[in-house]
């Protein structure tokens, strides 16, 4: 199932968030004083932080307009900050009073920017790998838990750069439901290790499961391999029992919204490269229709609606492989229907071919014809054929 990063924000529909109070009291809860100020500073630090800013195209474009400065009136259009406060002087004052060396306020207290001395890391392949190495997978939160609750809980054990609440889409209601697990990105590997070394953590009397994201990815990969092997064994048993699978393709429903088209592929790119990178993002692969050396190909994911989620996680819909930027595009409409129909036809053809091959091999030895394994290899001498010895004797006599 797909994961959704609920921490990264953008301006919803380009419209301002409705202002329900004077902005000095948190709209999610009755927070006031130091706690509210801390929450506001922490939220703005997230917007301009090393984790979010390299991914936030909207903020990056706005920063280019005024030497990195962002008007507070733009920031209060971001949902999470707006739920804390929409009072511009109050927000600016919170930031100016804080000891943060990441963000700064202009003299008029109307704009905020990232400290120019803080170099923004580039979001590339090495950076993504480095983020995975300092990310913990934590499971066991109630499914009705809110992000603020998890933030406050983890804040007890140190600073956390970002929290991704993992969600799946309920097929019946089309609602995104929290799985009860998160990916927590720590500033350094050592800080994440300190939390892991605590052994057992409990959230509201519920014991939490913790492991590095890299270990989680490997465990998921191993589970999929095991599951595939079990499915193959079941299919083999059904086939041996003579189960008729002629209509299996008609019964299958391939996931919709799960097909990606890739282009501008470098010659060194392999299917394993693609699979490994997408699995790092938490997406399960169904099939990769690509051959090394081809400039383009297709990727079919296991879950419905995940193709667009992959695109949303990419910078300019591109992913770096072997120093080259590979373009990603989600198939939609008739193009997707046509592709999935071809996939079904190909699956049916391979299934029928495999079944026919099995019948041929299981036919037994036919009279006079011999079995497949007893056929004479072309060009090999027959053990009863003495022509080679006769030729040798004739040559010696000459």
């Amino acid at each position: 199932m797909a994961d959704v990063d609920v921490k990264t924000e953008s301006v919803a529909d380009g419209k301002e968030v409705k202002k329900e109070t004077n902005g000095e009291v948190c709209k999610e809860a009755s927070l006031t004083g130091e706690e509210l100020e801390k929450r506001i500073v922490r939220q703005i630090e997230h917007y301009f932080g090393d984790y979010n800013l390299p991914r936030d195209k909207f903020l990056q474009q706005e920063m280019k307009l005024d030497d990195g400065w962002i008007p507070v009136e733009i920031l209060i259009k971001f949902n999470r900050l707006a739920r804390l406060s929409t009072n511009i002087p109050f927000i600016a004052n919170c930031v100016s009073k804080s000891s943060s060396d990441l963000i700064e306020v202009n003299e008029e207290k109307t704009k905020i920017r990232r400290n120019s001395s803080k170099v923004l890391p580039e979001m590339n392949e090495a950076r993504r790998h480095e983020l995975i190495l300092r990310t913990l997978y934590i499971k066991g939160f109630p499914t009705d838990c809110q992000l603020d609750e998890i933030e406050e809980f983890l804040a007890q054990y140190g600073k956390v750069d970002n929290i991704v609440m993992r969600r799946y889409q309920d097929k019946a209601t089309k609602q995104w439901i929290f799985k009860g697990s998160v990916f927590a990105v720590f500033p350094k590997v050592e800080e994440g290790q300190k939390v892991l070394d605590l052994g057992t953590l409990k959230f509201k009397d519920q014991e939490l499961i913790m492991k590095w994201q890299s270990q989680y990815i490997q465990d998921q990969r191993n589970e999929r391999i095991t599951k595939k092997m079990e499915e193959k064994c079941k299919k083999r048993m059904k086939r041996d029992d003579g189960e008729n699978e002629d209509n299996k393709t008609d019964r299958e429903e391939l996931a919709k919204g799960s097909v990606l088209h890739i282009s501008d592929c470098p010659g060194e790119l392999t299917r394993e490269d693609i699979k490994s990178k997408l699995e790092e993002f938490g997406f399960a692969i169904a099939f990769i229709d690509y051959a090394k050396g081809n400039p383009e190909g297709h990727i079919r994911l296991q879950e419905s609606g995940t193709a667009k989620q992959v695109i949303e996680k990419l910078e300019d819909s591109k992913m770096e492989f072997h120093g080259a930027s590979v373009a990603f595009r989600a198939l939609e409409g008739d193009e997707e229907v046509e592709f999935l129909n071809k996939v079904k036809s190909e699956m049916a053809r391979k299934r029928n071919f495999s079944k026919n091959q099995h019948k041929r091999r299981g036919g037994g030895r036919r009279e006079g014809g011999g079995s497949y394994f007893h056929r004479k290899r072309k060009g090999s001498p027959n053990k009863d054929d003495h022509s080679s010895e006769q030729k040798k004797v004739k040559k010696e006599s000459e």
Side-chain angles (χ1 to χ4, degrees), residues 253-304:
E253 279 298 328
L254 299 179
K256 295 181 180 179
S258 63
V259 183
L260 292 163
H261 175 266
I262 56 174
S263 57
D264 303 328
C265 303
E268 305 93 333
L269 183 64
T270 65
R271 284 192 294 267
E272 190 57 38
D273 293 335
I274 299 170
K275 180 180 179 183
S276 177
K277 187 63 68 68
L278 288 177
E279 285 181 343
E280 287 181 6
F281 280 99
F283 294 100
I285 309 295
F287 188 76
I288 300 177
D289 181 18
Y290 169 78
K292 184 177 180 181
N294 285 354
E296 59 181 355
H298 291 87
I299 304 166
R300 186 162 56 83
L301 305 171
Q302 290 186 11
E303 296 294 329
S304 299

Side-chain angles (χ1 to χ4, degrees), residues 91-352:
I91 293 172
N93 191 51
C94 290
V95 176
S96 64
K97 284 167 49 180
S98 76
S99 59
S100 172
D101 61 350
L102 177 66
I103 49 179
E104 54 188 6
V105 187
N106 67 348
E107 292 182 2
E108 295 79 12
K109 294 188 176 181
T110 57
K111 300 178 182 180
I112 297 174
R113 72 176 178 183
R114 180 185 170 99
N115 192 322
S116 57
S117 65
K118 299 290 184 181
V119 179
L120 188 66
E122 181 183 357
M123 183 54 69
N124 52 29
E125 188 174 352
R127 171 70 173 168
R128 291 189 184 93
H129 180 67
E130 187 262 337
L131 286 172
I132 288 176
L133 292 180
R134 53 187 174 92
T135 299
L136 281 182
Y137 166 78
I138 308 175
K139 178 182 179 182
F141 296 102
T143 55
D144 61 350
C145 193
Q146 300 299 311
L147 179 59
D148 289 333
E149 296 179 84
I150 299 174
E151 284 181 334
E152 291 299 320
F153 173 75
L154 292 179
Q156 303 174 80
Y157 307 103
K159 184 179 179 181
V160 179
D161 282 351
N162 193 68
I163 296 173
V164 178
M165 295 180 72
R166 304 181 63 244
R167 299 176 183 268
Y168 71 94
Q169 188 177 36
D170 182 72
K171 293 182 179 180
T173 63
K174 303 300 181 183
Q175 297 293 318
W176 290 96
I177 299 174
F178 179 41
K179 289 183 175 182
S181 60
V182 302
F183 287 129
V185 185
F186 288 83
K188 295 181 180 179
V189 175
E190 294 78 10
E191 294 182 40
Q193 188 61 52
K194 286 181 182 178
V195 176
L196 205 58
D197 289 342
L198 293 174
T200 301
L201 287 185
K202 287 188 176 182
F203 182 85
K204 297 181 178 179
D205 296 326
Q206 175 64 44
E207 188 171 323
L208 300 175
I209 297 171
M210 299 188 295
K211 63 176 77 172
W212 287 113
Q213 184 183 12
S214 55
Q215 183 61 52
Y216 168 79
I217 292 171
Q218 186 59 50
D219 290 346
Q220 290 292 99
R221 187 176 298 167
N222 292 339
E223 285 181 18
R224 285 193 290 271
I225 291 173
T226 302
K227 187 176 179 180
K228 283 184 179 179
M229 291 179 65
E230 291 175 351
E231 289 175 352
K232 284 182 179 180
C233 289
K234 289 180 181 178
K235 288 179 180 179
R236 189 177 296 114
M237 291 174 65
K238 289 181 179 179
R239 185 187 64 191
D240 292 341
D241 290 339
E243 177 179 318
N244 188 348
E245 297 184 354
D246 288 344
N247 297 320
K248 184 170 183 180
T249 303
D250 295 333
R251 297 196 306 266
E252 284 182 342
E253 279 298 328
L254 299 179
K256 295 181 180 179
S258 63
V259 183
L260 292 163
H261 175 266
I262 56 174
S263 57
D264 303 328
C265 303
E268 305 93 333
L269 183 64
T270 65
R271 284 192 294 267
E272 190 57 38
D273 293 335
I274 299 170
K275 180 180 179 183
S276 177
K277 187 63 68 68
L278 288 177
E279 285 181 343
E280 287 181 6
F281 280 99
F283 294 100
I285 309 295
F287 188 76
I288 300 177
D289 181 18
Y290 169 78
K292 184 177 180 181
N294 285 354
E296 59 181 355
H298 291 87
I299 304 166
R300 186 162 56 83
L301 305 171
Q302 290 186 11
E303 296 294 329
S304 299
T306 48
K308 285 187 177 180
Q309 293 173 29
V310 172
I311 300 299
E312 290 171 359
K313 286 182 176 286
L314 303 182
E315 183 73 22
D316 296 327
S317 299
K318 293 182 179 181
M319 188 180 292
E320 185 178 337
F321 292 95
H322 301 288
S325 293
V326 176
F328 280 65
R329 178 173 62 86
L331 297 195
E332 297 180 288
D334 293 340
E335 186 181 16
E336 182 191 27
V337 171
E338 182 180 354
F339 179 83
L340 292 178
N341 285 339
K342 287 181 179 179
V343 171
K344 288 182 179 180
S345 298
E346 182 64 14
M347 291 170 67
R349 185 190 67 79
K350 289 183 177 180
R351 189 175 293 112
N352 290 334

Side-chain angles (χ1 to χ4, degrees), residues 53 55-62 314-317:
L53 191 54
R55 301 162 176 258
D56 197 320
K57 297 177 186 178
F58 175 79
L59 272 182
Q60 290 179 36
Q61 290 299 321
E62 291 294 318
L314 303 182
E315 183 73 22
D316 296 327
S317 299

